[in-house]
Amino acid sequence: MDARDGADDRERALEAAHSAALDWLASLDNRPVWPRATLDEMLEVFGGELPGDGEDPAAVVERLAADAGPGLVGIPGPRFFGFVIGGTLPAALAADWLVSAWDQNSGSAMLTPTTVALERIAGRWMLELFGLPDTASVGFVTGGQIANFTCLAAARNAVLARAGWDLADLGLRNAPAVRFVVGADRHGSIDRAARFLGIGRSEIEVVEADDQGRMRADALERTLEHGEGPLIVCLQAGEVHTGAFDDFAALIAIAHQSGAWVHVDGAFGLWAAASPALRPLTAGMEQADSWATDAHKTLNVPYDCGMAIVRDPADSIAAFRTGGDYLVYTGLDPWDVTPELSRRARGVPAWAALRSLGRSGVAALVDRLHANAVAMAEGLAVIDGVEVVNDVDYTQVMFRLGSDEATRALGGAILAEGTAVVTGAEWRGRAALRCSMSSWATTPGDVERTLAAMRSLATS
């Protein structure tokens, strides 16, 4: 293939992808939200032997688009309320296409000044929206899991250094034991990050939570009274079932009195700080030492895009800066603040989303998500037999029927019926269904359409 043929193939393939993408987006309002095909069925569709000879690139894209539909979930649509997954804002989607076309390795400012500049600006804007220190480092990673891991890796390194242990030189063998303190209702990604860092389940110290999942200050005080050594305390902005926020002002003061590094897992909750109406939920959060969040949740950018924020960039550098005589450093590079060297410019769609919304638009988006959650909760509460379990302070609604069997049956029925997606959960030993308001595309009409389906299914 010569360059001229390759350019033609590229243009035709991109045209096919553009047409297919528009068709997909246009279908979202009317297609079933949950997939209609199983994994095995999609393996059959796309499988078989690798062809001996290649195929025309445009034809490959056309076949991919034509066959993919039954196994796709309508995440970008207005009635996907499962897990905590946002839609995709128009500017962010288009910017992500450019990221793929530019094909920049965005680990180094020397190598890719444009995308690193865009990410640095997006990070600065986020710090401003969250009310966090403007000197903090912001590392763009895949999502909340790796954001938590990245922050906690910096935390482990820092608290060991305070105890006189150089982790980079001496490793973990014979290192002082790190106390790892968490709330009873923390997200599972916290425990998983701890495991990656060499902290086992039996070593985690769990602090009691209240009925909404908020860590209790009196229980934290009791926990920290006993024990010594390097200390990390993990708090939470937005419990994944209830949406509840820890009392940061009280808890951080208690933790810092004991010399702790305080980390806040705020995958979707940090964004409450961008709303003047909801900002009180995050009061005191700015006193922590690190924060994790996602842009592919509340900000509605494409997967993947998480942010690891560390108060003192020196702590990030100490944990992550690498060597190599061929690597050129230009101050604080992206590879200084995350585990990755080579990666796509995942922060560029976040820049585009923020630029397209502006400060007022981000606040309006967060407020609208909360308003949709309140409307959904109010509508569910008047359906015979439905109980709303949580206080709807933010974007999460958790509800159930009278028995676990009926609750699970309703969850399966709504997925099969196709109008909307809600996902199952367990709360205080009982089955529940969880509805997360995360998409810019959801309207009051989508809430009512979902409630109509719920009413029909719950009473049938």
Side-chain angles (χ1 to χ4, degrees), residues 9-78:
D9 284 346
R10 182 169 58 202
E11 185 173 338
R12 291 187 303 104
L14 286 170
E15 287 174 350
H18 178 239
S19 177
L22 292 177
D23 288 345
W24 157 252
L25 294 172
S27 76
L28 290 170
D29 195 48
N30 295 313
R31 64 177 284 120
V33 183
W34 197 244
R36 302 291 98 172
T38 65
L39 172 61
D40 286 342
E41 289 169 340
M42 298 316 295
L43 288 170
E44 181 68 25
V45 167
F46 291 115
E49 295 296 322
L50 177 66
D53 298 317
E55 299 176 4
D56 175 70
V60 170
V61 173
E62 288 167 353
R63 179 192 169 187
L64 174 64
D67 292 345
L72 297 177
V73 60
I75 289 174

Side-chain angles (χ1 to χ4, degrees), residues 85-103:
I85 298 176
T88 308
L89 288 161
L93 173 59
D96 199 53
W97 288 3
L98 282 178
V99 167
S100 292
W102 290 343
D103 191 26

Side-chain angles (χ1 to χ4, degrees), residues 122-432:
R124 190 176 75 235
W125 287 345
M126 289 180 196
L127 294 175
E128 184 180 342
L129 289 170
F130 299 152
L132 300 182
D134 60 7
T135 55
S137 66
V138 182
F140 285 88
V141 294
T142 55
Q145 174 67 80
I146 299 303
N148 279 322
F149 166 78
T150 300
C151 292
L152 292 170
R156 179 189 62 178
N157 193 82
V159 297
L160 285 172
R162 293 173 194 167
W165 188 268
D166 185 339
L167 181 63
D169 184 48
L170 300 172
L172 279 175
R173 184 176 298 174
N174 299 321
V178 174
R179 297 183 67 193
F180 194 74
V181 178
V182 303
D185 292 302
R186 77 276 184 194
H187 191 271
S189 63
I190 293 294
D191 292 44
R192 195 164 180 247
R195 190 194 331 154
F196 296 165
L197 294 168
I199 300 169
R201 281 191 298 268
S202 65
E203 298 177 287
I204 296 175
E205 299 179 51
V206 179
V207 179
E208 296 170 45
D210 67 13
D211 64 339
Q212 296 293 304
R214 294 176 287 248
M215 183 186 287
R216 289 175 45 185
D218 60 335
L220 178 63
E221 283 187 308
R222 288 194 300 272
T223 298
L224 298 187
E225 283 174 358
H226 308 287
E228 57 185 18
L231 175 62
I232 299 171
V233 174
C234 296
L235 305 181
Q236 188 164 230
E239 203 283 331
V240 75
H241 299 86
T242 67
F245 289 66
D246 283 338
D247 182 349
F248 299 113
L251 294 166
I252 293 174
I254 293 167
H256 278 167
Q257 285 172 5
S258 296
W261 175 296
V262 179
H263 171 64
V264 176
D265 174 16
F268 62 103
L270 253 62
W271 296 93
S275 159
L278 297 171
R279 189 174 299 140
L281 293 171
T282 67
M285 176 182 73
E286 70 281 358
Q287 299 302 319
D289 301 287
S290 60
W291 307 262
T293 191
D294 280 349
H296 57 237
K297 289 183 168 63
T298 310
L299 188 60
N300 281 228
V301 308
Y303 271 92
D304 51 37
C305 188
M307 285 76 69
I309 305 170
V310 176
R311 173 180 291 276
D312 187 346
D315 290 322
S316 296
I317 291 171
F320 294 111
R321 175 164 283 180
T322 185
D325 57 3
Y326 64 96
L327 298 178
V328 179
Y329 293 91
T330 57
L332 189 66
D333 280 293
W335 57 30
D336 288 329
V337 297
T338 77
E340 297 173 303
L341 288 178
S342 301
R343 64 169 177 83
R344 68 185 277 108
R346 60 175 62 96
V348 173
W351 178 91
L354 292 168
R355 185 81 183 190
S356 71
L357 292 171
R359 178 189 297 276
S360 64
V362 176
L365 171 60
V366 176
D367 288 341
R368 189 163 68 250
L369 299 179
H370 176 237
N372 285 338
V374 171
M376 181 69 79
E378 290 174 347
L380 288 167
V382 297
I383 298 175
D384 187 38
V386 173
E387 175 193 4
V388 175
V389 178
N390 65 309
D391 299 332
V392 186
D393 294 329
Y394 191 44
T395 57
Q396 303 298 95
V397 182
M398 185 166 54
F399 62 101
R400 62 190 175 205
L401 297 180
S403 70
D404 288 355
E405 294 76 13
T407 300
R408 295 189 182 106
L410 177 59
I414 192 67
L415 298 182
E417 190 267 351
T419 294
V421 167
V422 300
T423 44
E426 296 285 332
W427 184 253
R428 302 297 188 256
R430 290 190 57 188

